[in-house]
Amino acid sequence: MTDETPRRSNFITEIIDEHNRTGRFGGRVHTRFPPEPNGYLHIGHAKALVLDFGIAEDYGGITNLRYDDTNPVKEDVEYVDAIKEDIRWLGFDWGDREYYASDYFEQLYEMAIKLIKKGKAYVDELTPEETREYRGTLTEPGKNSPWRDRPIEESLDLFQRMRAGEFKDGELTLRAKIDMASPNINMRDPVMYRILHAHHHRTGDEWCIYPMYDFAHGQSDSIEGITHSLCSLEYENHRPLYDWFIQELEIFAPQQIEFARLNLTHTVMSKRKLRRLVEAGLVDGWIDPRMPTLAAMRRRGYPPKAIREFIEIVGVAKSENVIEVELLEHVVRDELNLTAPRRMAILEPVKVIIDNYPEDQEEWFNIPDFPQDPENSPTRKVPFSREIYIEADDFMEEPPKKYFRLSPGREVRLMNAYYIQYKDIVKDEAGNIVEIHVSYDPESRGGQSPDGRKVRGTIHWVSAKHAIEAETRLYEQMFLEKDPEDLPEDQDFLDHFNKGSLKVLHAKLEPSLADAKVGEVYQFVRDGYFTLDHVTSTPEKPIWIRTLSLVDSWAKMQK
RNA sequence: UGGGGUAUUGUGUAAUGGUAGCACACCGGACUUUGAAUCCGUCUGUCGUGGUUCGAAUCCAUGUACCCCAGCCA
């Protein structure tokens, strides 16, 4: 840490600073990242990741990876592996501290026994329906279960038999004996264990009782010596319970701190809703480039550094927030602008014939990858010939005012090549432009003319006979509305899915792009950033994904 | 109508009794062999009402709005 890069400061670090002043944890900062392996990580998790790992690092502390795998019916190893890959990709390292709540099942069981013996937990025989009825409502207290005051010995025996598999799912539960009249519903004798005859991804069939989140999370933190347990706002109501178990068990007490989760405009973030998009077939799985998952962003070419930067910029507080997706895109473009080599590609080609350019001639131009700094930039060779492609957008027969590109009577610059002058167009019977005829000025080689005359428009091009063909996929937001969840009662967010959010085009690329590798992101000049799709692309049939378009102020002017 | 939280510009986030700052977005302009980038500039804010104070986003009172909680999910 240096003076130029002050470490982050927010309400969480204030709490930690206070702990350090009072010596509560002896100056130690040890956090954990606790995903449930029941889905893919999304950009919201990146916030938790940056906080958990980043704050610990700022204080010279460490972070554990711990899977919150207490519900076997929802969880799967598939997600365990995907989650690890995402965390590594973002650049975080948990060392050898890869843990699972399920590692602690035996200890948790012993803790439960301890609470039963203390008279602080009991086996309940209420059905799920009865449990709900007895719980009361937000405004009315609950009432005690008839089994609440059964003898300790009886609860002990029953709980042991629950573990032994003598009962069916849902028949019995172990509950904490707290206060059925508490205004905090989480304190109304919360269920600690439920019976689930289900196969667990790690413990297999060893257990048929599983601890609830509330009985597992805090103690797992305690066992690992976690000092600061960061979680999202909805767990605020659970903190009294978190503390209660710790206190009754007389074990090391971590501090739970809640922060507001990240939300983004034009998308949904809950795993449930993301799953619905996948299952409805509206997107191509969890890693569809339109999804807000980290795996999707990786596929799409978002640099992990940009995502971390985005989280830092966004900050952290306790108020509900919705970040405009434009900020994320800005940070991604900012990074890519510095790192993505420039290439020429024509997404919607129209053929241009340079009448006065010799038929059999070709030239190879040396063009810098980073024209902002040509002195230090690597270069690549780009062929030029008599027939080229330009973007259909770059020609207009009847241009509006301030249109600087090619049109009748106009001269424009082919980037890094020559000036060309419009001569004529050829149309088919339907009136579509088939080819544009132009002449070029041999004196303007490289894109400058000796007479110093100015051309306002510069367009890019690809030599027709050298072009390589590729499919390009252009993505837009999944939802046109800023908040797709803010809908009238009778409407479903799935019905608002942006059907035009994927556009597939067949592009012509400059030949150097044949050497592109998966993982590289290029700027296709004047259009956007692109990367080879590591999922669908093959050497025989390259498929490019547009990471993001460039900012297009011309399009904005047209609105 | 119980309990727990939160309110600073369009969106986020600073300011910890002393000039309301920064970023994105927006809108102008300069520059340009990317209508990108870069540069410059403008605009918009302390939830309301009282109070304390020389001075309040900050302290006090009161009101309002929004979020979370009634899974044997996490």
Side-chain angles (χ1 to χ4, degrees):
Chain A
M1 198 187 346
T2 68
D3 290 342
E4 293 81 51
T5 56
R7 76 181 178 201
R8 74 208 80 212
S9 166
N10 52 52
F11 81 97
I12 298 173
T13 63
E14 281 175 23
I15 294 170
I16 296 175
D17 290 341
E18 179 61 18
H19 289 154
N20 286 344
R21 268 193 294 278
T22 61
R24 172 163 170 193
F25 297 112
R28 213 160 53 80
V29 176
H30 192 165
T31 60
R32 103 269 89 117
F33 177 70
E36 184 188 14
N38 71 340
Y40 281 67
L41 258 30
H42 53 62
I43 185 79
H45 293 105
K47 180 172 183 176
L49 246 0
V50 167
L51 291 174
D52 288 330
F53 281 91
I55 289 178
E57 190 185 352
D58 281 354
Y59 285 88
I62 51 175
T63 306
N64 294 358
L65 168 60
R66 184 177 70 238
Y67 289 94
D68 236 331
D69 57 349
T70 55
N71 186 356
V73 307
K74 286 191 174 180
E75 296 150 8
D76 197 281
V77 273
E78 174 201 351
Y79 298 117
V80 170
D81 297 334
I83 287 169
K84 271 191 269 193
E85 193 179 350
D86 288 341
I87 302 173
R88 273 195 216 99
W89 174 68
L90 271 187
F92 297 112
D93 180 15
W94 57 92
D96 59 355
R97 296 178 307 285
E98 176 182 331
Y99 302 126
Y100 295 78
S102 54
D103 293 342
Y104 311 132
F105 280 173
E106 192 62 46
Q107 287 172 82
L108 259 9
Y109 178 80
E110 293 303 326
M111 289 178 185
I113 297 279
K114 180 172 178 178
L115 290 187
I116 296 172
K117 287 181 175 167
K118 273 183 84 172
K120 297 289 186 180
Y122 61 97
V123 170
D124 197 3
E125 297 183 27
L126 254 29
T127 64
E129 295 71 35
E130 289 167 333
T131 305
R132 192 180 339 114
E133 286 160 18
Y134 275 68
R135 186 151 34 225
T137 69
L138 294 177
T139 51
E140 302 156 28
K143 57 183 181 185
N144 290 167
S145 163
W147 312 102
R148 194 175 201 262
D149 291 313
R150 76 189 331 161
I152 288 173
E153 283 311 318
E154 202 174 294
S155 281
L156 222 39
D157 174 59
L158 252 13
F159 186 51
Q160 282 156 355
R161 286 164 58 197
M162 277 167 66
R163 178 182 183 170
E166 290 186 28
F167 304 99
K168 292 196 286 288
D169 286 7
E171 217 176 322
L172 261 37
T173 58
L174 182 71
R175 294 232 257 163
K177 192 188 287 187
I178 308 180
D179 178 9
M180 288 306 292
S182 172
N184 181 346
I185 291 185
N186 294 307
M187 301 298 272
R188 317 240 263 230
D189 289 12
V191 171
M192 293 161 58
Y193 270 90
R194 75 286 215 188
I195 299 171
L196 244 32
H197 290 271
H199 188 84
H200 186 278
H201 72 105
R202 284 184 63 89
T203 59
D205 297 316
E206 190 184 341
W207 293 86
C208 62
I209 58 172
Y210 291 92
M212 300 286 290
Y213 166 84
D214 285 309
F215 191 67
H217 198 89
Q219 290 96 292
S220 299
D221 284 345
S222 182
I223 289 167
E224 294 176 15
I226 300 301
T227 56
H228 302 272
S229 184
L230 312 184
C231 60
S232 50
L233 248 28
E234 69 261 34
Y235 291 100
E236 215 153 14
N237 295 330
H238 292 249
R239 179 153 32 96
L241 183 53
Y242 182 108
D243 293 340
W244 189 89
F245 282 128
I246 296 282
Q247 190 186 332
E248 293 298 335
L249 258 7
E250 300 168 71
I251 55 179
F252 170 73
Q255 176 67 53
Q256 175 177 302
I257 302 170
E258 310 86 11
F259 62 88
R261 59 167 72 231
L262 174 77
N263 296 290
L264 272 188
T265 55
H266 302 288
T267 190
V268 294
M269 208 69 94
S270 80
K271 282 185 193 168
R272 206 189 108 255
K273 291 203 167 86
L274 294 175
R275 193 184 303 279
R276 283 192 64 203
L277 285 164
V278 172
E279 285 168 0
L282 290 167
V283 295
D284 183 20
W286 288 90
I287 62 170
D288 183 288
R290 287 164 290 193
M291 295 283 271
T293 56
L294 296 177
M297 292 182 182
R298 175 167 69 241
R299 177 178 180 188
R300 191 169 172 167
Y302 281 24
K305 186 180 172 194
I307 291 174
R308 277 183 273 124
E309 175 68 9
F310 167 68
I311 300 296
E312 300 287 359
I313 288 173
V314 151
V316 59
K318 291 192 72 159
S319 56
E320 296 283 346
N321 61 82
V322 186
I323 311 295
E324 290 178 335
V325 74
E326 288 82 358
L327 177 58
L328 206 213
E329 296 180 343
H330 165 79
V331 177
V332 171
R333 286 190 184 103
D334 222 29
E335 174 67 15
L336 257 16
N337 182 41
L338 298 175
T339 56
R342 315 286 123 127
R343 294 292 185 267
M344 290 197 285
I346 305 299
L347 271 43
E348 296 188 80
V350 56
K351 184 168 277 187
V352 171
I353 297 169
I354 305 163
D355 292 335
N356 60 338
Y357 195 89
E359 296 236 12
D360 48 2
Q361 182 172 319
E362 65 179 57
E363 297 174 74
W364 289 72
F365 293 105
N366 254 339
I367 302 182
D369 288 349
F370 296 94
Q372 15 2 348
D373 185 14
E375 308 301 313
N376 300 308
S377 172
T379 61
R380 84 281 184 186
K381 291 200 180 305
V382 183
F384 185 82
S385 64
R386 186 169 188 267
E387 296 193 4
I388 60 175
Y389 293 109
I390 67 168
E391 285 298 344
D393 273 358
D394 285 340
F395 174 78
M396 279 186 94
E397 203 173 354
E398 293 171 29
K401 278 199 163 35
K402 297 210 174 172
Y403 182 83
F404 306 143
R405 286 110 96 148
L406 190 63
S407 58
R410 203 75 66 82
E411 182 175 48
V412 298
R413 171 166 37 232
L414 294 177
M415 192 182 285
N416 294 298
Y418 292 103
Y419 290 3
I420 53 169
Q421 172 82 43
Y422 171 87
K423 283 180 69 183
D424 196 13
I425 49 174
V426 177
K427 293 183 180 177
D428 63 15
E429 285 168 8
N432 303 309
I433 297 171
V434 177
E435 51 190 46
I436 303 169
H437 287 262
V438 301
S439 62
Y440 85 115
D441 173 7
E443 297 291 307
S444 64
R445 199 185 133 97
Q448 292 163 333
S449 67
D451 64 7
R453 71 180 185 277
K454 295 252 191 286
V455 284
R456 187 65 200 266
T458 300
I459 64 176
H460 59 107
W461 50 273
V462 168
S463 168
K465 73 176 171 200
H466 301 92
I468 55 179
E469 315 257 333
E471 181 176 318
T472 57
R473 297 184 180 173
L474 315 185
Y475 294 96
E476 282 170 35
Q477 303 300 339
M478 288 194 289
F479 298 95
L480 271 359
E481 297 90 348
K482 266 195 157 181
D483 181 2
E485 306 184 61
D486 180 27
L487 293 173
E489 279 294 324
D490 57 338
Q491 290 187 33
D492 185 43
F493 80 102
L494 288 183
D495 297 329
H496 288 253
F497 182 83
N498 178 9
K499 298 278 192 322
S501 55
L502 167 61
K503 193 162 141 191
V504 177
L505 296 174
H506 297 279
K508 310 283 187 183
L509 315 182
E510 66 165 74
S512 73
L513 251 6
D515 303 326
K517 294 179 190 62
V518 162
E520 296 172 338
V521 182
Y522 292 91
Q523 186 194 99
F524 288 2
V525 141
R526 298 212 305 134
D527 189 278
Y529 298 98
F530 286 77
T531 191
L532 273 174
D533 182 15
H534 70 251
V535 177
T536 60
S537 191
T538 62
E540 296 72 38
K541 185 177 187 255
I543 297 180
W544 290 80
I545 287 177
R546 185 161 73 186
T547 309
L548 280 177
S549 67
L550 254 28
V551 172
D552 187 351
S553 57
W554 168 246
K556 214 177 285 176
M557 275 170 67
Q558 298 309 101
K559 283 182 191 167

